[in-house]
Amino acid sequence: MAQFLVAIHHPDNYDPSGETEAMMEEIHALNRDMIAAGVRIFAGGLTPASNAKSLRAQPGGKVLITDGPYLETKEHIGGFWILEAADLDEALAWGRKAVAACRAAVEVRPFFRSNIVPEK
């Protein structure tokens, strides 16, 4: 089984107060369906991108911390699921359901498979 990120994208000016009870119930139902199917590993919503801090390497081993997201874009990840699915087609099927429930753009991306275990 492969693991996939299913990310919900919101515009910069996204206002969560526009989320209706019906929308939230659809998202909760999707979560229940994912759990029942045994595909959901983790799910989480994120605060607005304006709450983000970005860290960048600087000369001399220093780190610069700035306000805001790393990328200057018009959309940011608002929430996500980590799923374990048989293949990309199955992950895309869950992504389609996420689009409907969240009423937002969704990105589905596989994780790299790695057999490397860090040494202690």
Side-chain angles (χ1 to χ4, degrees):
M1 298 282 272
Q3 292 183 342
F4 296 86
L5 170 71
V6 178
I8 307 304
H9 291 266
H10 290 154
D12 267 349
N13 62 351
Y14 183 75
D15 182 4
S17 68
E19 296 173 355
T20 65
E21 284 186 41
M23 180 180 168
M24 293 311 299
E25 179 49 40
E26 287 181 45
I27 294 169
H28 294 316
L30 177 58
N31 276 293
R32 289 190 296 270
D33 290 346
M34 287 176 172
I35 291 167
V39 300
R40 193 182 99 170
I41 295 172
F42 180 82
L46 298 173
T47 63
S50 60
N51 293 336
K53 299 287 185 190
S54 294
L55 291 78
R56 291 176 179 84
Q58 300 294 300
K62 294 186 180 192
V63 175
L64 173 67
I65 300 174
T66 57
D67 291 335
Y70 176 71
L71 296 175
E72 293 184 22
T73 65
K74 295 181 181 185
E75 292 183 335
H76 295 90
I77 295 176
F80 61 92
W81 289 273
I82 305 297
L83 304 182
E84 191 163 65
D87 53 30
L88 181 59
D89 288 338
E90 182 183 356
L92 289 171
W94 288 109
R96 283 186 201 88
K97 292 178 182 185
V99 167
C102 297
R103 297 162 179 80
V106 170
E107 175 183 351
V108 175
R109 189 186 310 184
F111 281 90
F112 281 114
R113 287 187 169 220
S114 176
N115 296 328
I116 300 170
V117 178
E119 294 182 27
K120 291 186 179 184

